[in-house]
Amino acid sequence: MVTEMLTRRSRVAVVLRMRQTDISLDGESLITPESIAAHVVAPGTTWRNDELQSARTVLGLTLGIALQQIEQGAVPYHIIHRIAGSLHELRKRYSPSIWQQLIPVAQQHPVARYFLEDPFTRWSFEKPRGYSGDAGLLDFIYGHSSVAQAIADASPVGKALYDYTKDASSSVAVRERRDILTQHVDEIASSRGSGAEVLTIAAGHLREANRSVALKEGRLKRWVALDQDPQSVGSISRDFAGTCIEAIDGSVRGILGGRHDLGKFDFVYAAGLYDYLNDKVSIKLTQRCLDMLKPNGVFLFANFATDIMVDGYMESFMNWALLLRSEEDMWRIINGSVGDLPVEATVRFGQNKNIVYGIIRKLS
Ligand SMILES: C[S@@+](CC[C@H](N)C(=O)[O-])C[C@H]1O[C@@H](n2cnc3c(N)ncnc32)[C@H](O)[C@@H]1O
């Protein structure tokens, strides 16, 4: 049975991998798992063969236990919780170059088929829009009605796994991030009167706007939402037709190249974007965002933090690689961006420390 599962599973893995479009969006985002891997593992990095062997053995045991649990009909919550914890430990214990070699081993193992029953894990792995971390994926975290059918269609195991992944610490942090963004928009609107102007970069479906009181009460002058994905831009245009929200098809490259003449803003922010940008692009983008701020304007950027318990699960079974950043990493971007500009800057974590925020206020 295991051999049969293996053969079937290998085929599934090959088909799924072929469906993943290996693109680098606009050439500025390190958006594919492969390009992110290339970023975290310097070219020419070597490793000891015995260390790789030992890592493969530990992984093999971990996956073997999961397979046994599956065959014995263990509760999905226990299976996924144990494996997520073990993968986190493995990722922490071995160097990035070794961990990168473990990822395909996990993805091609028979147990991967089980985890792909979770519609959220499956969406992330299949990448239906051709790249990692699309707005449709985030809708699984937000529990948005657009994914209700996919959840309803999932198997009982898939639904049970989704109950775990939707409430994993990283998912909780993303929902908090959405609410923090809404809160910032509303605060800025209150402090600026009726003329506040907001720019969202990499807006996705702009779900944070759904709860904005300032938007509902018509207290914003304009809210520009930019994204490189035409499907997301279309979704924003439809959902917020008749409001001051203006959806723009644009990219980081376009912003850096000065191709979008957007004007000045009281609040500019990017969430779910810097996780795919290396430091060099992050610094250039931050500088450009500071240029687009009015005096006393605020720029905020969010990044997944280094201590995510489900990082190993995300990078393997979800094939969702991210550049995780520490407080120090955030300061490096801020300090590299502000130069002589008079600013007030802070770095702070969300409640469960899975997301870190860099906030810069331009003083003049
Ligand atoms: C993880 S989603 C985040 C969406 C939204 N900000 C949120 O927090 O729910 C990432 C978004 O970044 C967009 N994106 C990625 N790289 C981009 C780039 N280089 N230029 C513009 N948008 C980009 C994607 O199209 C996607 O909608």
Side-chain angles (χ1 to χ4, degrees), residues 10 40 94 101 114 130 139 152 200 246 285 287 299 334 343 359:
S10 310
V40 293
Y94 292 100
Q101 297 184 68
Y114 177 83
D139 278 346
T200 309
E246 196 186 324
L285 179 61
Q287 286 169 334
F299 173 62
I334 294 173
V343 299
I359 303 166

Side-chain angles (χ1 to χ4, degrees), residues 283 286-287 290-291 299 301 331-345 359-362:
I283 289 172
T286 306
Q287 286 169 334
L290 293 175
D291 287 347
F299 173 62
F301 65 107
W331 276 117
R332 201 172 48 250
I333 293 172
I334 294 173
N335 292 332
S337 310
V338 298
D340 295 335
L341 268 184
V343 299
E344 241 172 44
I359 303 166
I360 310 173
R361 180 183 293 277
K362 190 174 176 181

Side-chain angles (χ1 to χ4, degrees), residues 25-26 28-29 31 131 133-135 138 142 177 181 201-205 208 226-229 232 250-253 271-273 276:
L25 290 184
D26 63 4
E28 296 290 357
S29 297
I31 203 102
Y131 62 94
D134 63 86
L138 277 265
Y142 298 139
R177 181 179 78 190
L181 298 175
I201 299 172
H205 292 156
E208 61 272 27
L226 176 145
D227 200 282
Q228 60 78 37
D229 185 335
S232 295
S251 66
V252 171
R253 174 176 277 192
L273 175 66
Y276 305 97

